[in-house]
Amino acid sequence: MKKSFRKSIGSEIPTLVHFYANWCAPCKLMKPILEQIEVEMGDALNVVEIDVEAKKKLARRYKIKSLPTLLIFKNSMPLWRQSGVIQKVDIKKAINELI
C-alpha cells in the first residue's frame, strides 16, 4: 500500500485521498460522493482511500485530527485539504482548479 500511495500522490494527475475510519458515520456519507467523482473524472483523477485505523503512521504524518479528511495531492505536494462532510460540487471545484 505504501508504494501505491506514494506513486499515486507523486503523479502529475491529481490524487484525492480520503482518510476515513469504518466506525465514522460522516465518512460513510462521503464514500458514494467520492465514487461518483471518481467515475465522472475518469483518468483525470486518482482516488485513494486510507483507513486511519490500519495506517496510523500515515494519518500521523498528514496530521489527520478529524474524519473524514480529504487531501488533494499533485507531484507529491498536498495542494488542498478539507475535513468533515463536503458536497460533491465543492470537491469538484477544488479538483478543477488544480487540473
Side-chain angles (χ1 to χ4, degrees):
M1 184 65 177
K2 250 185 219 177
K3 268 189 181 171
S4 66
F5 176 77
R6 282 192 190 145
K7 188 176 180 182
S8 292
I9 68 168
S11 174
E12 277 283 318
I13 298 168
T15 300
L16 175 63
V17 181
H18 176 214
F19 288 92
Y20 75 97
N22 289 324
W23 49 261
C24 169
C27 299
K28 292 176 184 171
L29 293 173
M30 290 304 303
K31 192 163 179 74
I33 293 170
L34 298 175
E35 288 170 351
Q36 288 174 10
I37 290 172
E38 187 172 23
V39 169
E40 290 171 14
M41 299 296 295
D43 292 339
L45 178 74
N46 297 317
V47 177
V48 176
E49 292 190 307
I50 302 293
D51 180 348
V52 297
E53 297 289 321
K55 302 290 182 184
K56 290 179 180 172
K57 278 186 179 178
L58 209 50
R60 277 195 302 273
R61 181 183 312 149
Y62 292 102
K63 298 176 176 58
I64 305 303
K65 303 283 186 217
S66 61
L67 297 174
T69 294
L70 302 175
L71 277 88
I72 298 175
F73 290 86
K74 190 171 179 181
N75 297 320
S76 298
M77 298 295 298
L79 301 176
W80 179 86
R81 180 183 184 117
Q82 179 71 43
S83 293
V85 174
I86 181 170
Q87 298 301 313
K88 180 170 94 168
V89 65
D90 296 322
I91 298 169
K92 286 187 78 171
K93 182 180 174 197
I95 294 163
N96 286 326
E97 288 173 2
L98 298 172
I99 290 179

